[in-house]
Amino acid sequence: MSLATLMYHDVVAAGQWDDSGFPGSAAAHYKLDTANFLAHLDGLCAGNVLFADPDAVAGGRYEGCLLTYDDGGASALSAGEAMRQRGVRGCFFITTARIDTPGFVSAQDLRALRRDGHLIGSHSHTHPSNISQLDASALHEEWRRSVDTLEQVLGEKVHTASVPGGFMSTAVLRAAEAAGIRTLFTSEPTTRAWHSDRCAVLGRYALLRESSPAMAVALASGQGGARLKQWAAWNVKKPLKRWAGPAYRFARARLLHERLPAP
């Protein structure tokens, strides 16, 4: 059996897109309103989805459906509690420079999430706009400092991370490995896992603001063509993201701002 990993970000009250996590229309594109998010959880539970144990995944057991959350916004604690109430555990990837700052998790929040059985991992230290463009020294600093910060907060080793923005490269992977990361999640929509010398690399399926509970169930279970559709869209956008750089991000942010509903 393969592992289907779903990628969430923040969960906020409808229209309050900047209350948790990074502000702006581009970030809001990935945030779900609370009612829709709870419907996602209930739909997944009602759909008899087999949820993966995040610690087991980190240990190399790739089966079921894993829920992950990027950025480390303040809504992580309430999202974790909603999962706990349904007997589900997930993985929260934290931008460590933002810990204890407005709109983001506190160190106390992270310890509470871990006590509830959720796994805590790195999402880099500062969340660079394109981590793959950093030089070797800056890359190592991003991963090393993030891992060190989380280990101090949690009092345990941290071996799991996700790549910010989905900008994966060989250099990004090597720097993560050097920082002790042994399970690295990308934004590539796939259930296929592959291994480098010391690290397992796993893909994820993104859930967006407009994603329905039925979409979450389809991605988790492999029903219909939801996975294939997301894979095709990803492979169209990937070269644009990598080579167009700031121009791509500017055009995308402008388009998303125009689509953003008013509060």
Side-chain angles (χ1 to χ4, degrees):
M1 185 175 182
S2 62
L3 178 72
T5 303
L6 304 187
M7 178 176 65
Y8 289 93
H9 286 72
D10 297 279
V11 179
V12 297
Q16 303 303 307
W17 306 113
D18 288 348
D19 280 3
S20 177
F22 293 103
S25 54
H29 183 56
Y30 290 92
K31 300 179 183 183
L32 272 68
D33 71 63
T34 303
N36 190 28
F37 172 70
L38 295 179
H40 276 225
L41 292 183
D42 290 338
L44 290 165
C45 291
N48 295 317
V49 170
L50 173 65
F51 290 101
D53 177 344
D55 284 287
V57 171
R61 184 178 178 184
Y62 310 133
E63 60 178 355
C65 173
L66 178 67
L67 306 187
T68 70
Y69 302 80
D70 279 2
D71 294 347
S75 66
L77 196 62
S78 59
E81 175 60 17
M83 294 173 67
R84 187 196 65 79
Q85 292 174 358
R86 293 161 175 79
V88 181
R89 289 174 291 172
C91 189
F92 292 84
F93 296 114
I94 310 302
T95 306
T96 49
R98 300 285 183 152
I99 295 172
D100 288 320
T101 66
F104 290 84
V105 291
S106 67
Q108 182 177 343
D109 293 337
L110 293 178
R111 289 189 285 267
L113 285 165
R114 189 63 180 131
R115 284 195 300 270
D116 283 344
H118 303 295
L119 188 63
I120 308 299
S122 167
H123 196 48
S124 80
H125 186 59
T126 67
H127 201 296
S129 59
N130 186 339
I131 193 171
S132 67
Q133 291 184 344
L134 299 183
D135 62 31
S137 176
L139 266 177
H140 282 275
E141 177 69 4
E142 282 290 335
W143 289 126
R144 182 199 60 77
R145 190 168 180 186
S146 181
V147 168
D148 287 351
T149 299
L150 290 175
E151 290 181 347
Q152 291 175 26
V153 168
L154 300 170
E156 66 180 16
K157 290 294 185 181
V158 171
H159 297 299
T160 309
S162 69
V163 179
F167 289 99
M168 181 63 165
S169 70
T170 300
V172 169
L173 172 60
R174 295 296 178 236
E177 287 180 322
I181 299 302
R182 297 295 174 261
T183 305
L184 183 63
F185 288 88
T186 71
S187 300
E188 183 176 359
T190 180
T191 59
R192 181 180 64 88
W194 63 275
H195 293 75
S196 69
D197 292 340
R198 293 175 287 171
C199 189
V201 180
L202 306 172
R204 296 182 292 174
Y205 295 93
L207 279 305
L208 310 179
R209 184 176 64 237
E210 66 272 15
S211 298
S212 67
M215 174 62 70
V217 173
L219 291 171
S221 63
Q223 297 171 358
R227 290 181 182 176
L228 179 60
K229 183 177 180 180
Q230 194 167 127
W231 179 86
W234 165 264
N235 281 280
V236 168
K237 291 188 297 184
K238 184 163 63 172
L240 294 174
K241 287 179 64 176
R242 186 165 299 277
W243 303 117
Y248 169 81
R249 292 193 293 274
F250 174 80
R252 178 176 176 274
R254 188 178 184 117
L255 176 62
L256 292 176
H257 178 74
E258 293 172 354
R259 291 180 178 176
L260 189 66

